[in-house]
Amino acid sequence: MSVVFVDDPVVLAIVSACSLVLGGLLGLWVGRIWGVRRMLQSVLRDAEVTARIDSPTGLWNRLGFEERYLAARDGRRKCDWPVSVLFLDIDNFKAVNDTHGHPTGDLVLGCVAHLIGESFREHDTVARMGGDEFAVMLLGATLSESIEVAERVRRDVSSMSVPTEAEDWSGTVSIGVIEITRGEELESALKRVDLALYAAKHAGRNRVEAN
């Protein structure tokens, strides 16, 4: 096969222009592919986060809490740093729904959730586990430190007032507290902290009990 060399300046100019156009189109095509890919990755990340958020309160949901607990547990295995868990329940919340209706109950739930969410550090995990139950995981907090934090939250809730159509709501929470052991499984931790919460309820509510 023979190679033909073109030295016509017009032809060379045309070839050069075509090369630039094709190169630009190729770059635009590749750029759009990468742009779409980044957009899809962003959408997937947003979807993953959304699946772990409790939409009525904006807190983590049970799935989000469980995953973050497992990560903290694995960190607890590697180094001897404390991790504590709080379990909170609004006292007599069923009576709010039964007496004032679910819209009022949702309002009370949202206000209590907001107070709880604002009561902890950014790296703590605050989650709504379902209904009127909340869980909080405190990294680097010992049992005694977590009890102090729980008492502060309990006092703050008991002093809050939520305006409703009928009358202002004032209520309390009961709180169970544990410090997890190294490598403690989630099921074990939730069972122990639930027992502590039950002890607080059984002792008269509006209390903090540790296990």
Side-chain angles (χ1 to χ4, degrees), residues 4 15 32 50 64 66 80 100 119 125 139 151 158 174 177 211:
V4 178
V15 171
R32 284 183 176 178
T50 300
E66 290 177 350
D80 191 20
H100 303 290
S119 298
T125 299
L139 303 180
E151 284 287 1
S158 65
S174 297
V177 186
N211 186 337

Side-chain angles (χ1 to χ4, degrees), residues 137-206:
M137 182 173 61
L138 292 85
L139 303 180
T142 63
L143 182 63
S144 60
E145 292 169 339
S146 300
I147 291 173
E148 291 181 8
V149 173
E151 284 287 1
R152 173 171 52 79
V153 173
R154 182 194 63 78
R155 290 193 300 268
D156 288 346
V157 173
S158 65
S159 64
M160 74 182 297
S161 179
V162 179
T164 67
E165 292 183 359
E167 58 183 358
D168 290 356
W169 175 86
S170 296
T172 59
V173 293
S174 297
I175 307 176
V177 186
I178 66 166
E179 181 179 337
I180 73 170
T181 59
R182 178 173 290 187
E184 184 170 11
E185 296 296 334
L186 175 65
E187 182 179 358
S188 171
L190 291 180
K191 182 177 180 179
R192 288 203 299 123
V193 76
D194 188 56
L195 288 173
L197 173 61
Y198 177 79
K201 293 282 191 181
H202 187 70
R205 299 185 175 87
N206 190 24

Side-chain angles (χ1 to χ4, degrees), residues 3 11 57 90 93 108 122 140 175 208:
V3 179
V11 174
T57 63
I90 302 175
F93 182 70
V108 169
E122 185 176 349
I175 307 176
V208 174

Side-chain angles (χ1 to χ4, degrees), residues 35-48:
V36 170
R37 182 178 180 182
R38 286 195 299 270
M39 182 181 68
L40 289 175
Q41 289 174 338
S42 177
V43 169
L44 289 174
R45 285 194 300 268
D46 291 344
E48 289 178 353

